Amino acid sequence: MMPEYKSPSGSKKPIWYSVVLLLSLLLNGYLLLRPSDHRQLLDGDNRKGRMLISENRGWSRRAADEAEAVAAQYQCSGHGYVFVDTFLTDHNGSFVCECNPCYTGPDCSHLISDCVVDANQGDPTFLEPFWIANAEAGATVVPAWYRMSYDVNNALEYSATSPELEKQIRALHEMVGNAVTKGRYIVLGTGSTQLINAAVYSLSQAHARNPSKVVAAIPYYGSYRDQTEMFDSNDYVWKGDARAWVKKSEFLNSSTFIEFVTSPNNPDGLLKKGVLTSKNVKDIYDHAYYWPHYTGIPRPANEDIMLFTLSKVTGHAGSRLGWAIVKDYDVYEKMYDYVEENTLGVSHDTQLRTTILLKAIVNGYKQKKQMEKRHTDEKQLLFHYAYSVMRNRWQRLEKIFSGSHRFSLQSLEPRYCTFFKKVTGPSPAYAWVKCEKEEETDCTGVLRKAGIIGRNASVFEADKRYVRLSLLKRDDNFALLERRLQALVS
Amino acid sequence: MMPEYKSPSGSKKPIWYSVVLLLSLLLNGYLLLRPSDHRQLLDGDNRKGRMLISENRGWSRRAADEAEAVAAQYQCSGHGYVFVDTFLTDHNGSFVCECNPCYTGPDCSHLISDCVVDANQGDPTFLEPFWIANAEAGATVVPAWYRMSYDVNNALEYSATSPELEKQIRALHEMVGNAVTKGRYIVLGTGSTQLINAAVYSLSQAHARNPSKVVAAIPYYGSYRDQTEMFDSNDYVWKGDARAWVKKSEFLNSSTFIEFVTSPNNPDGLLKKGVLTSKNVKDIYDHAYYWPHYTGIPRPANEDIMLFTLSKVTGHAGSRLGWAIVKDYDVYEKMYDYVEENTLGVSHDTQLRTTILLKAIVNGYKQKKQMEKRHTDEKQLLFHYAYSVMRNRWQRLEKIFSGSHRFSLQSLEPRYCTFFKKVTGPSPAYAWVKCEKEEETDCTGVLRKAGIIGRNASVFEADKRYVRLSLLKRDDNFALLERRLQALVS
């Protein structure tokens, strides 16, 4: 029973007062507790949702906990990985490790003894330990509603390119000193792979009488040929080895040539210049490997079109992000339009992650500078780490091959590196192995018999006495490669 | 002073005991506290790093805190966004909102009064409020070392496609009932945009005497033409309106035709079938809009090649992820190879995010089923939410145009939807507006004068009496569009 209440005026509250109060309280309760269904969202006002985001912090916790839990729980003996989208599960529904090649078992602890080692692909997974050591700086959280639009609204215009990413790309080149970006345009691609044909397309003239001739000096990266041939365009055509055209001035003067120059070169790691010179020759410089990991940096590159890829600088090949630095506005615009037409831009999820990864690299060096300590944070220095790994691998290879008359490695010279401010020894991405014995004309086959898969010289249109071995893969892979090579050479 | 200690044997500890202990403690201290520099990482063993990840939880916290902080701090008056890679900052270094078009000011609170409303692009940002409301289920955390390799190692073979994503795509179609996936192959693309030319390439014969003729019935989505023309291939050529070829049996019998069929159609929202029939005609069905948001689903689509895109189902256009469901293995393989050659696969960051987003949709419905409550979780039901928004917008448009003799909307019928298990009214992605007055032959121009940017009919090779208006954009955009149309029509 409700006690009677005396108001300041002294009057007694009648019974209806209690009833109304009760009804009002019930209504309050209903209004407060009624489900916030999707009609709320239909009010044409996303402010409510936004306020919810402000009040209900912790929306990232589920995803963060999941990602951390699998990373912590599944060590895979150091020979494999589990991610939140790892698809293999055992009969209990627990994840099963994605093992490195040649390792097996639910925790990847078993090394398959007679396993063939795959040194074919340029998969830059040697940088995984660096990112594991820099897990905090390199982590990316993507909110559910993050950049759902095709474009970034940058106040002045819409663009498929994130201005912040562009800024980080410029900052990285500035710090490393490997490319001039001032006054240059930057176009993103789904890997520099996409930019190969974007550049060819942009340098060719549509419906020209003579299609442009696309060339590269042997040995060259096979994708230039494969892409150009796949697109089978009326406007450009693959014409093989650039050196074959050097003396054919009647052609050089009458049609457009597009020459791919890879520097350092894939496969052999040498710094290169274009071999064709004529006013009709347009160069595309692929500088995928022009980083202190792989070569001393003599000076900032300053070519008309320069391709770079995230894959070979941070090791994130799976993210598919590349960029071109372009001098000429019209060429830039045609490349940008090509990417828009081909894929409607580049994933913004990846643009965000790339922004964070590049920032982590630059910040690592900034922190070092601030702290002025030599050792405390070297594990935060990407280029120092990456160079150490690649240099170490190359030295080990040189040792293996040093006494051999049957095999040889390409010859690379020490070089002054403006980034490290000292002379650095060779640290190429690939070994370009030659079989020296007269009868061993198929070097890929020779290595294959010894349990090593290399990349066939024909991919580079080169003499089959050569074979390319990737030095970019995981420690597990390199250790096995070393073992097989040791057995073969000795 | 150290007190003397009596050992169990009763002997006194001499002074050297203390010295050794002190030295030992100092050594321990040094060993424990010495910097863990990158030499540790060079040991060829990433197990140490992995253990660190296990012991040092919380590596995701920095990124999570940053993402949550900007989301909470910057509300942008509900008319804009700030993300961690928002690039605009004020003189204090604080972020400045990326405002919706027609809104301005540091917090987007100011509506520009005479602003032209842009209803051109099919940017599906109407789904942002859904994902804000489902922030937890839709959040993605990408570890720094996540899938750095090009490929996923799925124990049997390497693949650029995440098996878990493929599983989620199949599960979503299964739940919605809009496409047969059993026994079909799935190939991913950087948006379905990339798959347009991938499909054309795969259906054409290289170096054929007659290049394949690529066609679509007017009004058609302009990218089919634009891409085919851009690639300017020897193997296929754009040949315009499919209907123009219906009666030309001499051509139909002598060369390969590739017909694009968009169903529901872009721009007019009608369900379509191919118009050409001959053994030489190969169809590519673009089912980007074949979801319960935009049309009743009469039955699961079951065509030879079907294109879908994340953009139009979850609204994540910026992520650039599409997929094709393919019956024939050889066509699948050629499409897969095309994507590998063109971009070396699709961003794994985006594949992860897509996996999580699709899982969130399916889980939303699963939870509803488990709870058997009608209202509590409707905001978790993507298709219910998306249909409600689109249906509401269409009804508002119909109301505006209902009395008009000057303008008309396309006519769409209610349809039984097997997903909603009821008849649903029209809810198309676009209005296909016709100017009915004889003298108004340029409908885009008429709307432009009224402050509305639509997409020109010529993009669809259609009569200029038509113009397409996007109904997919943010509430802000639709509200302005409504206001401008109201003023124009009345």
Side-chain angles (χ1 to χ4, degrees):
Chain A
M1 280 292 292
M2 236 180 191
E4 278 192 348
Y5 172 74
K6 245 184 162 184
S7 77
S9 65
S11 69
K12 273 189 185 176
K13 292 290 162 195
I15 187 71
W16 60 261
Y17 180 87
S18 305
V19 174
V20 170
L21 182 64
L22 188 65
L23 286 173
S24 167
L25 286 170
L26 284 171
L27 182 63
N28 287 160
Y30 170 69
L31 291 175
L32 282 169
L33 297 174
R34 73 170 171 174
S36 62
D37 65 21
H38 73 278
R39 276 167 303 187
Q40 272 203 348
L41 288 170
L42 293 177
D43 286 351
D45 183 356
N46 79 358
R47 256 172 296 192
K48 277 173 197 152
R50 304 292 288 280
M51 274 157 60
L52 259 163
I53 286 298
S54 176
E55 288 155 13
N56 299 346
R57 298 290 285 269
W59 51 262
S60 65
R61 205 165 296 150
R62 178 217 38 94
D65 285 352
E66 269 178 28
E68 292 209 6
V70 295
Q73 192 184 338
Y74 299 94
Q75 298 288 303
C76 303
S77 315
H79 302 298
Y81 291 93
V82 165
F83 299 111
V84 292
D85 66 345
T86 286
F87 70 108
L88 289 171
T89 49
D90 62 17
H91 56 277
N92 299 319
S94 293
F95 285 126
V96 171
C97 292
E98 300 177 25
C99 296
N100 295 350
C102 296
Y103 286 84
T104 187
D107 65 344
C108 309
S109 58
H110 181 65
L111 174 61
I112 301 164
S113 61
D114 57 347
C115 183
V116 170
V117 55
D118 186 345
N120 177 23
Q121 205 172 23
D123 219 13
T125 38
F126 77 99
L127 282 164
E128 283 170 347
F130 176 83
W131 290 108
I132 289 175
N134 289 276
E136 190 169 347
T140 301
V141 168
V142 192
W145 67 98
Y146 176 76
R147 293 212 189 282
M148 292 173 64
S149 175
Y150 293 99
D151 292 325
V152 175
N153 175 1
N154 78 7
L156 299 168
E157 52 165 3
Y158 288 82
S159 167
T161 304
S162 152
E164 183 63 25
L165 173 54
E166 198 178 316
K167 193 174 121 189
Q168 296 303 327
I169 288 171
R170 290 177 191 275
L172 182 68
H173 285 300
E174 177 73 25
M175 184 186 83
V176 177
N178 65 335
V180 173
T181 63
K182 214 173 173 183
R184 304 288 182 275
Y185 305 99
I186 290 180
V187 53
L188 301 184
T190 306
S192 59
T193 305
Q194 185 178 24
L195 299 171
I196 290 173
N197 199 57
V200 169
Y201 166 82
S202 303
L203 295 177
S204 303
Q205 214 184 318
H207 316 299
R209 204 160 32 89
N210 279 327
S212 300
K213 295 180 174 62
V214 186
V215 296
I218 291 173
Y220 58 78
Y221 176 49
S223 273
Y224 309 140
R225 175 195 58 228
D226 296 345
Q227 268 196 37
T228 308
E229 289 186 345
M230 182 180 81
F231 286 114
D232 195 12
S233 170
N234 288 301
D235 307 326
Y236 42 84
V237 62
W238 178 254
K239 286 290 181 184
D241 186 19
R243 282 198 195 82
W245 299 90
V246 169
K247 290 179 180 170
K248 296 185 177 165
S249 54
E250 74 278 20
F251 288 99
L252 284 171
N253 293 331
S254 65
S255 55
T256 300
F257 278 78
I258 298 171
E259 182 179 352
F260 276 99
V261 185
T262 320
S263 182
N265 195 31
N266 175 359
D268 59 22
L270 296 168
L271 293 187
K272 299 269 183 174
K273 287 274 160 202
V275 302
L276 297 183
T277 46
S278 150
K279 62 174 175 35
N280 293 324
V281 177
K282 298 169 181 177
D283 289 334
I284 301 168
Y285 272 82
D286 185 340
H287 282 318
Y289 302 91
Y290 198 58
W291 295 101
H293 323 354
Y294 310 113
T295 179
I297 303 293
R299 71 192 64 81
N302 188 18
E303 314 290 343
D304 288 355
I305 302 182
M306 303 186 277
L307 308 184
F308 287 92
T309 173
L310 186 70
S311 168
K312 299 304 183 284
V313 55
T314 70
H316 292 82
S319 294
R320 314 308 310 125
L321 192 128
W323 60 92
I325 303 172
V326 182
K327 260 187 201 168
D328 183 70
Y329 182 79
D330 291 339
V331 173
Y332 155 75
E333 208 182 22
K334 280 191 85 175
M335 288 183 74
Y336 180 90
D337 290 347
Y338 175 96
V339 173
E340 283 294 291
E341 196 61 69
N342 183 194
T343 59
L344 260 172
V346 174
S347 166
H348 281 295
D349 315 342
T350 289
Q351 291 193 47
L352 172 62
R353 191 181 186 204
T354 305
T355 301
I356 286 164
L357 294 170
L358 299 190
K359 217 182 243 178
I361 297 175
V362 173
N363 281 348
Y365 280 96
K366 269 190 194 153
Q367 278 166 23
K368 190 206 173 192
K369 218 170 176 182
Q370 282 163 4
M371 295 172 80
E372 290 293 348
K373 289 175 188 167
R374 282 198 60 207
H375 283 295
T376 43
D377 53 356
E378 284 222 336
K379 72 173 177 185
Q380 292 173 17
L381 305 180
L382 178 96
F383 299 106
H384 287 71
Y385 174 71
Y387 172 72
S388 300
V389 176
M390 295 309 293
R391 178 69 186 139
N392 181 273
R393 289 184 178 187
W394 186 249
Q395 286 173 316
R396 285 161 171 268
L397 272 200
E398 278 187 323
K399 207 172 157 191
I400 292 172
F401 285 92
S402 61
S404 175
H405 294 287
R406 190 176 168 197
F407 301 101
S408 66
L409 288 173
Q410 75 263 42
S411 169
L412 296 164
E413 300 299 318
R415 180 181 296 281
Y416 184 78
C417 179
T418 52
F419 178 74
F420 288 127
K421 295 188 179 60
K422 63 178 180 187
V423 174
T424 53
S427 54
Y430 306 102
W432 186 233
V433 176
K434 185 177 181 187
C435 282
E436 299 279 358
K437 273 190 178 172
E438 199 172 344
E439 67 274 23
E440 291 186 337
T441 52
D442 171 22
C443 205
T444 306
V446 171
L447 264 66
R448 185 63 189 78
K449 270 186 207 141
I452 299 164
I453 300 173
R455 185 164 287 186
N456 202 305
S458 63
V459 173
F460 310 92
E461 213 187 322
D463 185 341
K464 287 200 165 187
R465 289 192 169 278
Y466 289 91
V467 60
R468 189 192 82 171
L469 300 180
S470 172
L471 309 180
L472 295 166
K473 299 176 90 171
R474 292 183 183 134
D475 282 341
D476 277 352
N477 181 274
F478 185 76
L480 280 173
L481 176 65
E482 216 179 349
R483 203 184 300 176
R484 296 266 182 284
L485 285 173
Q486 195 89 60
L488 174 66
V489 171
S490 64
Chain B
M1 279 292 292
M2 237 181 192
E4 279 193 346
Y5 173 76
K6 243 184 162 182
S7 76
S9 67
S11 68
K12 274 189 184 176
K13 294 286 164 197
I15 186 72
W16 59 261
Y17 180 86
S18 305
V19 174
V20 169
L21 182 64
L22 188 66
L23 285 174
S24 164
L25 286 171
L26 285 171
L27 181 63
N28 282 334
Y30 169 70
L31 291 174
L32 282 169
L33 297 174
R34 71 170 173 175
S36 62
D37 66 19
H38 75 278
R39 275 168 305 188
Q40 271 203 349
L41 289 169
L42 293 177
D43 286 352
D45 182 358
N46 80 357
R47 256 173 294 193
K48 276 174 199 152
R50 303 292 288 280
M51 275 157 60
L52 258 164
I53 285 297
S54 176
E55 289 155 15
N56 299 348
R57 296 292 284 270
W59 50 262
S60 65
R61 205 165 294 149
R62 178 216 39 94
D65 285 352
E66 268 178 28
E68 292 208 7
V70 294
Q73 191 184 338
Y74 299 95
Q75 299 288 303
C76 303
S77 313
H79 301 299
Y81 292 92
V82 165
F83 299 110
V84 292
D85 65 345
T86 286
F87 70 109
L88 290 171
T89 48
D90 63 16
H91 56 277
N92 298 320
S94 294
F95 285 126
V96 172
C97 292
E98 300 177 25
C99 296
N100 296 348
C102 295
Y103 286 84
T104 187
D107 65 345
C108 309
S109 58
H110 180 66
L111 174 61
I112 302 163
S113 60
D114 57 347
C115 182
V116 171
V117 55
D118 185 346
N120 176 24
Q121 204 172 26
D123 218 11
T125 37
F126 77 100
L127 283 165
E128 283 170 347
F130 176 83
W131 290 109
I132 290 174
N134 287 276
E136 191 170 348
T140 301
V141 168
V142 192
W145 66 97
Y146 176 77
R147 294 211 188 283
M148 293 173 63
S149 174
Y150 293 99
D151 292 324
V152 175
N153 175 1
N154 77 9
L156 299 168
E157 50 164 6
Y158 288 82
S159 167
T161 305
S162 153
E164 184 63 25
L165 174 54
E166 198 179 315
K167 193 174 121 191
Q168 296 302 327
I169 289 172
R170 290 177 191 275
L172 182 68
H173 285 299
E174 177 74 24
M175 184 186 84
V176 177
N178 65 336
V180 174
T181 62
K182 215 174 169 181
R184 304 286 183 277
Y185 306 98
I186 290 180
V187 53
L188 300 184
T190 306
S192 60
T193 305
Q194 186 178 23
L195 299 171
I196 289 172
N197 198 58
V200 169
Y201 165 81
S202 302
L203 295 177
S204 303
Q205 215 185 317
H207 315 299
R209 204 160 30 90
N210 280 326
S212 300
K213 295 180 172 62
V214 186
V215 296
I218 291 172
Y220 57 78
Y221 176 51
S223 273
Y224 310 139
R225 176 195 58 229
D226 296 345
Q227 266 197 37
T228 308
E229 289 185 346
M230 182 179 81
F231 286 113
D232 194 11
S233 170
N234 288 302
D235 307 327
Y236 43 85
V237 62
W238 178 253
K239 286 291 181 183
D241 186 17
R243 282 198 195 83
W245 299 90
V246 170
K247 288 178 181 173
K248 297 185 177 165
S249 53
E250 74 278 20
F251 288 99
L252 285 171
N253 293 331
S254 65
S255 55
T256 300
F257 278 79
I258 298 171
E259 182 179 353
F260 275 99
V261 185
T262 321
S263 181
N265 195 31
N266 175 357
D268 60 21
L270 297 167
L271 294 187
K272 299 269 181 173
K273 287 275 159 202
V275 303
L276 298 182
T277 47
S278 150
K279 62 174 174 36
N280 293 324
V281 176
K282 297 169 182 178
D283 290 334
I284 299 167
Y285 272 81
D286 184 340
H287 283 317
Y289 302 92
Y290 198 59
W291 295 101
H293 325 351
Y294 309 112
T295 178
I297 303 292
R299 70 191 66 81
N302 188 17
E303 314 290 343
D304 289 355
I305 302 181
M306 302 186 278
L307 308 186
F308 287 91
T309 171
L310 186 71
S311 167
K312 299 305 183 284
V313 55
T314 70
H316 292 81
S319 293
R320 314 308 311 124
L321 191 129
W323 60 93
I325 303 173
V326 183
K327 261 187 199 168
D328 183 69
Y329 181 78
D330 291 339
V331 172
Y332 154 75
E333 207 181 23
K334 279 190 85 174
M335 288 182 73
Y336 180 92
D337 289 348
Y338 175 95
V339 173
E340 283 294 292
E341 196 61 67
N342 184 194
T343 58
L344 260 173
V346 173
S347 165
H348 281 294
D349 316 341
T350 289
Q351 292 193 46
L352 171 62
R353 191 180 186 204
T354 305
T355 301
I356 285 164
L357 294 170
L358 299 189
K359 219 182 240 177
I361 298 174
V362 173
N363 282 347
Y365 281 96
K366 269 190 193 154
Q367 279 166 23
K368 192 207 172 192
K369 217 171 177 181
Q370 281 163 4
M371 294 171 80
E372 291 293 348
K373 288 175 189 168
R374 281 197 60 208
H375 283 293
T376 43
D377 54 356
E378 283 221 338
K379 72 173 177 187
Q380 291 174 17
L381 304 180
L382 178 97
F383 298 107
H384 287 71
Y385 173 72
Y387 172 72
S388 300
V389 176
M390 295 309 293
R391 177 69 186 140
N392 181 273
R393 289 183 178 187
W394 185 248
Q395 284 173 319
R396 285 162 170 267
L397 273 201
E398 277 187 325
K399 207 173 157 190
I400 292 171
F401 284 93
S402 62
S404 174
H405 294 289
R406 191 176 168 197
F407 302 100
S408 66
L409 288 173
Q410 75 265 42
S411 169
L412 296 165
E413 300 297 319
R415 181 182 296 281
Y416 184 79
C417 179
T418 52
F419 177 74
F420 287 128
K421 295 189 177 58
K422 63 178 180 188
V423 173
T424 55
S427 54
Y430 305 102
W432 186 231
V433 176
K434 186 179 181 185
C435 282
E436 298 280 358
K437 275 190 179 172
E438 200 172 344
E439 66 274 24
E440 292 186 336
T441 52
D442 171 21
C443 206
T444 306
V446 172
L447 264 68
R448 184 63 189 75
K449 270 184 206 141
I452 299 164
I453 299 173
R455 184 165 288 186
N456 203 305
S458 63
V459 174
F460 310 94
E461 212 186 322
D463 185 341
K464 286 200 167 189
R465 290 193 167 278
Y466 289 90
V467 61
R468 190 192 80 170
L469 300 179
S470 173
L471 309 180
L472 295 167
K473 299 175 90 171
R474 290 181 184 136
D475 283 341
D476 277 351
N477 180 274
F478 185 77
L480 280 173
L481 176 65
E482 217 179 347
R483 202 183 300 175
R484 295 268 181 283
L485 285 173
Q486 195 89 60
L488 174 67
V489 171
S490 64

